Amino acid sequence: MQSSKKTYTVQDATRKLEHYCAYQERCHQEVRKKLEGMHMIPEAIDVIMVHLLEHNFLNEARFAKTFVSGKFRIKNWGRRRLTYELKKKDVVKVNINQALREIGNEEYIEVFNDLAEKKMNSIKETDKFKKRKKLIAYLLYKGWESHLVYEKANEIIP
């Protein structure tokens, strides 16, 4: 009886992972998991990881910048959520901080204010305390700093 597991040579796996990394920025953790899912032995994983790094298919600083830029602009995540999500992906602190520096303070506050206004207008609550609580919970979930959140909530829902 034949095993249904597909096996890969190091060359095949390397080619497959080159495409995987070229298609979209990846962090080291994602690539390692992908290789483990392909049932590659640890030695082969190390060889392939080194190849991807040397040929610039894998670059964690570039991944962190792309991740931060995308999640900030598309999902309107704040710095706390961005940091948390990158830490979950085992991205080193230096790369996280470098990526966060790419967001200008003016743009950051502008996105925050727009998001807060938009959410406030969409909350169909009449009790102002409940409305403020919902706004605060939403903004904290999105990863915005608590001092910004509470200041804004008190400002727009007096």
Side-chain angles (χ1 to χ4, degrees):
M1 199 161 93
Q2 229 181 344
S3 166
S4 63
K5 275 194 225 169
K6 180 162 174 35
T7 54
Y8 295 89
T9 64
V10 171
Q11 287 79 15
D12 289 343
T14 302
R15 255 195 317 281
K16 193 172 171 67
L17 269 290
E18 283 176 353
H19 289 288
Y20 182 68
C21 293
Y23 175 74
Q24 176 183 319
E25 288 296 339
R26 310 283 179 180
C27 67
H28 295 207
Q29 185 190 67
E30 289 170 325
V31 172
R32 193 168 287 281
K33 277 190 178 139
K34 178 88 170 165
L35 287 164
E36 287 165 0
M38 292 166 69
H39 310 290
M40 301 302 288
I41 60 170
E43 292 80 4
I45 290 175
D46 292 342
V47 167
I48 295 168
M49 292 290 285
V50 167
H51 169 84
L52 294 171
L53 286 162
E54 284 175 347
H55 292 84
N56 212 14
F57 283 100
L58 196 53
N59 179 324
E60 205 162 68
R62 195 174 60 210
F63 167 78
K65 285 180 184 176
T66 306
F67 183 89
V68 163
S69 170
K71 299 299 183 194
F72 172 67
R73 292 195 174 77
I74 296 161
K75 291 196 169 183
N76 295 326
W77 285 0
R79 288 190 179 107
R80 290 182 55 209
R81 176 91 183 259
L82 292 165
T83 303
Y84 170 75
E85 296 292 339
L86 285 169
K87 278 182 182 171
K88 270 193 348 195
K89 293 179 178 293
D90 292 332
V91 174
V92 293
K93 198 149 185 57
V94 174
N95 289 336
I96 294 173
N97 293 338
Q98 186 61 48
L100 291 174
R101 269 186 239 118
E102 301 276 311
I103 304 171
N105 267 341
E106 273 181 35
E107 183 187 7
Y108 189 73
I109 296 301
E110 194 178 306
V111 167
F112 171 73
N113 287 332
D114 290 348
L115 182 67
E117 294 286 341
K118 205 162 132 189
K119 183 63 181 175
M120 203 253 322
N121 293 329
S122 76
I123 300 172
K124 301 287 182 249
E125 183 61 63
T126 49
D127 181 325
K128 76 175 190 179
F129 294 106
K130 287 182 181 173
K131 189 170 188 160
R132 185 183 296 136
K133 187 175 189 270
K134 284 182 178 186
L135 176 66
I136 289 168
Y138 175 78
L139 293 171
L140 289 175
Y141 168 75
K142 285 281 201 173
W144 296 90
E145 292 84 341
S146 50
H147 69 278
L148 287 175
V149 171
Y150 288 104
E151 260 174 45
K152 189 69 178 174
N154 291 331
E155 175 195 316
I156 62 180
I157 308 172

